[in-house]
Amino acid sequence: MGELTVEDMMNRFGLELIAGHAGIHKQIQMSDISRPGLEMAGYFDYYPAERVQLIGRKEMSFLETLPAITRRKRLERLCSVDTPAFIIAHGEEGPRELSQLAEEKNIPVLRTDYKTTQFSGMLTNYLVGQLAPMTTVHGVLVDVYGVGVLITGGSGVGKSETALELIKKGHRLVADDSVEIRQVSDNVLIGTSPKLLKHMLEIRGVGIIDLMTLFGASSVKDDKRVLLAVDLEIWDDKKHYDRLGIDEEKVEILDSQITKLSVPVRPGRNIAVIIEVAAMDYRMKRLGINAAEEFTKRLDQAIADNAELLDEEERD
Amino acid sequence: MVEKTVKVGIKPGLQARQAALFVQEANKYTADIYLKKDNRQVNAKSIMGIMSLAIAKGTEITLITDGIDEDLALQNLADLVEVEQ
């Protein structure tokens, strides 16, 4: 589970703090958002206090219809200790009582200029992404022809060097050395770089380089869906490597399965080119063109034809 | 250099997976290994070469090995393709 504070959310959307400054380090645990209209009308049975509470124009104009005492009572109940924050849409101030009560209970009240529904969508996407299950993988994530390729392998096998060559060929780096992978939905893994390492690449003998300054904005990407894992390993004569590509190997990251290739490394094998081809072949397979399968069919047909010839010869 | 002619017993023939297994076995030996069908000879350590012959069950092929472990290689590879399935 990722960790997310109200302050992170404020920074992401440029929200303005109206009250409750003391609570900006509160954690947000739920990706769902609540619009507390029914609660304002007095129905608190299923009040999801632990969600971010989003207040739009409708809720505000309804509050104004309530007698002052009722309004205060209900707003008091809304200000639960579990509530991470209130957000007022349309750039409005929101009810004064809410700011006062929230200030007392250290719940931040924030303001956005966006419309309620629009902001609700943006916020949900953001929260789902941030609160999704997360893991960190030792490897390099590169966007190759639109396919997110996660290059893994032991230390010193040449992951970063391979990435550098891919970038020189016009592909884009997402993360070097440590890739943060979030599962945003079933079988959808999104990889990003830890903030500190963003755009950086470490090359033995040279040190840390900044790709953005060296190669420009086209050489980097902030996040990318991970579709293919390529595991680099030092060539082992005793090991059998896939020659046909008929069987797809999978690797499990979080709860998702992704296609994995084991690529042996040895002098004279240009790994960057192999990864480019692997990414293109992966795309072709997803488009329904499977070279290995086509070839197998062709071979099976040829064998069947030859078997028939043999039968005929025997009969003669 | 030694050679042996055998009849392929694998059914329905050396399809992709069986060819891969055969080549994997052949690569265990240091000897040079060739496979001959009719008048076409290929390197038995190369999978594309083996598959290009489209060898069906019942085909007669000749295995040729040349090197320190040529006898062992010949025996084991012959056994591998001859076995009836």
Side-chain angles (χ1 to χ4, degrees), chain A residues 307-316, chain B residues 7 57-59:
Chain A
E308 229 168 86
L309 280 176
L310 280 175
D311 277 354
E312 274 169 32
E313 275 169 26
E314 257 173 47
R315 259 181 264 132
D316 288 344
Chain B
K7 209 171 199 180
K57 180 183 192 290
T59 310

Side-chain angles (χ1 to χ4, degrees), chain A residues 240 247 295 299-300 303 306, chain B residues 14-15 17 24 37 51 54:
Chain A
H240 177 63
D247 304 311
F295 173 76
L299 176 62
D300 292 354
I303 289 174
N306 284 344
Chain B
L14 286 183
Q15 286 184 329
R17 281 195 179 79
Q24 192 185 338
K37 177 190 155 191
M51 291 194 297

Side-chain angles (χ1 to χ4, degrees), chain A residues 85-100:
Chain A
F86 291 99
I87 302 176
I88 320 280
H90 291 282
E92 306 233 4
E93 276 286 334
R96 212 163 2 98
E97 292 106 316
L98 179 65
S99 303
Q100 286 168 358

Side-chain angles (χ1 to χ4, degrees), chain A residues 237-244 246-248 292 295-308 310-311 314, chain B residues 7 12-17 19-21 23-24 27 37 45-48 50-60:
Chain A
D237 273 336
K238 289 183 189 67
K239 204 178 154 181
H240 177 63
Y241 296 101
D242 189 10
R243 303 289 295 260
L244 301 163
I246 306 174
D247 304 311
E248 237 178 40
F295 173 76
T296 313
K297 267 186 220 154
R298 213 192 285 176
L299 176 62
D300 292 354
Q301 187 56 49
I303 289 174
D305 291 348
N306 284 344
E308 229 168 86
L310 280 175
D311 277 354
E314 257 173 47
Chain B
K7 209 171 199 180
L14 286 183
Q15 286 184 329
R17 281 195 179 79
L21 275 175
V23 170
Q24 192 185 338
N27 274 291
K37 177 190 155 191
K45 292 184 181 184
S46 141
I47 191 160
M48 295 307 256
I50 296 287
M51 291 194 297
S52 74
L53 299 178
I55 301 164
K57 180 183 192 290
T59 310
E60 284 202 342

Side-chain angles (χ1 to χ4, degrees), chain A residues 121-195:
Chain A
M122 287 161 52
L123 185 59
T124 305
N125 279 344
Y126 171 71
L127 293 181
V128 165
Q130 295 296 313
L131 296 174
M134 208 255 302
T135 181
T136 306
V137 173
H138 177 60
V140 184
L141 181 59
V142 189
D143 174 346
V144 183
Y145 297 123
V147 178
V149 181
L150 179 67
I151 306 168
T152 58
S155 217
V157 77
K159 297 185 290 293
S160 298
E161 288 75 4
T162 303
L164 184 60
E165 200 175 340
L166 284 168
I167 285 141
K168 290 272 313 181
K169 285 163 158 289
H171 304 290
R172 297 196 262 181
L173 181 87
V174 182
D176 176 42
D177 198 56
S178 157
V179 187
E180 289 183 354
I181 297 180
R182 290 187 173 79
Q183 181 175 287
V184 295
S185 64
D186 273 0
N187 273 315
V188 179
L189 298 171
I190 305 290
T192 53
S193 164
K195 250 180 229 157

Side-chain angles (χ1 to χ4, degrees), chain A residues 17-22 55 68 71-73 75-79 86 88 93-110:
Chain A
L17 187 72
I18 303 174
H21 183 269
I55 298 171
R71 179 161 65 217
R72 197 182 162 81
K73 227 192 251 168
L75 285 174
E76 214 167 354
R77 282 187 80 178
L78 276 182
C79 293
F86 291 99
I88 320 280
E93 276 286 334
R96 212 163 2 98
E97 292 106 316
L98 179 65
S99 303
Q100 286 168 358
L101 289 162
E103 182 73 42
E104 282 167 25
K105 295 199 177 173
N106 298 329
I107 304 168
V109 178
L110 311 163

